[in-house]
Amino acid sequence: MNCERLSRRGTITVLTPGLSVLQDLGRHRGSRIGQMTGGALDQYSARAANTLVASDPDAPLIELTALDFAAATDTHMLVAVTGAPADIRVDGVAVPQWEPLVLPAGSTLTVTNIRRGLRSYIAVHGSVHADRLQNSCAPDTVLGFGRPLSGGDRIEIDVDGTPIRHPHFDIPLFRLGAMQPEFGDTWTIPVTDGPDIEDFGDTADRLFTTEFTIGNASNHIGLRLAPCIDRPLPQRVTASEMLSRGVPIGAVEAPAGNELLVLHRGRGVTAGYPVLAVVTTLGLDRLGQARPGNKVIFTRVGIADAVEAHRARQRSLDQLRCRVRTVFEALSIPDHISHSQDPCTALTLESA
């Protein structure tokens, strides 16, 4: 492996776009001004991809949905591909997911056969140039900001690391042990009680005793769920009028009819349907990977348990970040992750 310290501008040229966009974690304060939050639908996989290349968790990256993708680079880069299982190749040579990859100058990266999930994420070590709205590059379909990538699009990246030339792709260069979520055709989705759950009386329990199928009209705005077998859904039993009000990401709404709605990150900030439950942050990431036709089973959790599950997953990302820093420092690769409090220091104090 030869290393040479160099600051340079690199370009990724999209060859086969599939269905891909430049993405980040979204507009965290967007709801306060009536704007959808947006952002990666599988936030954990997006954070992990950026962490694996020592970029800030909220840095721009490429989100792929379902279809094959290919791109070429004109300079040496480090990339990481996370999310749903897929076939990842560099110039036709199979390389692993959920680890940093060496992408030599002039090579082509392909992501094909995305399966057992819906979305994959490609992060690049360096500063990705992307247009921003409210400090985010996340597309906003309502405002018409952002667009899917097209063949021939060029993504510019400021690369300040050492160009690593790996002699043999079949010898792993990095083994950092990122925690990988479970993927499949049936998704268990944890939810907390919604603000209107008492309006449903005894029928609220039907949410947890019914298996649902994801409908074809589902997208980043929300998912439509119908029961797998013909059985009654939770029904609002009170007669008071429902007024339009603010609704959270993850709201499980029960309109009249034979479907439930689960609002995702592209949701509008107000709605008028009763909210039976609210999907947890872990559950939202799972729904971001769920395909039309997949099965969904809801499970009821308390707020304390939902918070602890979120914190446990964040700790796993902090531990991964510490391993990345150790390896990258040894290889003289710059660390682009910024934290108000260094998680490595916090983890050391916690274990002491």
Side-chain angles (χ1 to χ4, degrees):
M1 179 179 69
N2 299 319
C3 295
E4 175 190 356
R5 186 76 178 194
L6 186 64
S7 179
R8 61 200 184 279
R9 174 69 61 86
T11 300
I12 290 178
T13 301
V14 177
L15 304 177
T16 303
L19 184 56
S20 58
V21 296
L22 279 179
Q23 186 66 275
D24 58 23
L25 299 182
R27 296 171 183 85
H28 311 293
R29 297 177 178 268
S31 296
R32 298 186 181 186
I33 59 174
Q35 185 179 17
M36 75 176 192
T37 303
L41 292 196
D42 181 353
Q43 297 262 301
Y44 173 75
S45 292
R47 288 178 179 271
N50 273 323
T51 300
L52 285 166
V53 294
S55 290
D56 191 273
D58 203 12
L61 75 172
I62 302 173
E63 181 181 65
L64 314 180
T65 301
L67 304 181
D68 294 350
F69 176 86
T73 177
D74 63 357
T75 190
H76 296 279
M77 293 183 182
L78 281 179
V79 303
V81 184
T82 63
D87 297 329
I88 317 298
R89 291 183 171 82
V90 176
D91 284 344
V93 178
V95 291
Q97 267 181 282
W98 293 87
E99 298 287 2
L101 307 173
V102 178
L103 197 59
S107 63
T108 297
L109 171 72
T110 60
V111 181
T112 61
N113 191 26
I114 296 175
R115 56 195 180 273
R116 301 182 61 232
L118 192 59
R119 293 176 172 89
S120 294
Y121 294 86
I122 304 174
V124 183
H125 179 265
S127 299
V128 178
H129 290 234
D131 294 334
R132 293 179 180 270
L133 175 66
Q134 296 291 327
N135 201 34
S136 171
C137 74
D140 187 317
T141 54
V142 174
L143 297 180
F145 175 79
R147 62 172 179 81
L149 294 173
S150 300
D153 281 354
R154 294 163 59 86
I155 304 170
E156 294 187 345
I157 302 162
D158 291 331
V159 183
D160 61 355
T162 53
I164 299 175
R165 300 174 176 85
H166 196 289
H168 302 289
F169 285 117
D170 57 349
I171 301 176
L173 180 59
F174 301 98
R175 285 181 174 172
L176 295 171
M179 184 187 75
Q180 300 182 34
E182 294 184 1
F183 296 89
D185 298 325
T186 299
W187 302 86
T188 300
I189 306 300
V191 299
T192 58
D193 288 348
D196 305 316
I197 189 169
E198 292 184 359
D199 291 356
F200 290 84
D202 293 339
T203 74
D205 289 339
R206 296 173 185 171
L207 180 68
F208 310 108
T209 58
T210 303
E211 187 177 67
F212 296 90
T213 301
I214 299 175
N216 292 331
S218 302
N219 54 27
H220 67 289
I221 297 173
L223 293 85
R224 295 180 177 272
L225 305 178
C228 294
I229 58 176
D230 188 15
R231 61 180 303 173
L233 293 177
Q235 296 291 327
R236 188 167 180 261
V237 295
T238 58
S240 59
E241 182 180 359
M242 289 294 303
L243 300 177
S244 182
R245 70 275 171 80
V247 290
I249 299 171
V252 180
E253 296 184 327
N258 62 349
E259 288 184 324
L260 296 180
L261 303 178
V262 181
L263 304 185
H264 218 300
R265 301 188 65 81
R267 70 45 170 128
V269 298
T270 61
Y273 294 129
V275 177
L276 172 62
V278 179
V279 178
T280 69
T281 54
L282 274 69
L284 281 169
D285 289 346
R286 293 174 186 172
L287 287 178
Q289 291 290 354
R291 290 173 171 262
N294 283 176
K295 303 297 188 295
V296 168
I297 300 170
F298 290 104
T299 180
R300 194 176 198 171
V301 299
I303 292 177
D305 290 337
V307 170
E308 177 51 36
H310 172 73
R311 289 175 175 171
R313 193 171 64 171
Q314 184 58 48
R315 285 194 294 270
S316 76
L317 284 172
D318 289 342
Q319 292 165 353
L320 175 63
R321 183 260 187 274
C322 294
R323 295 194 294 272
V324 169
R325 188 179 71 172
T326 299
V327 171
F328 279 31
E329 282 182 351
L331 295 173
S332 299
I333 302 173
D335 186 343
H336 295 155
I337 301 178
S338 61
H339 291 273
S340 57
Q341 179 181 11
D342 187 346
C344 301
T345 301
L347 287 170
T348 300
L349 294 174
E350 183 178 301
S351 60

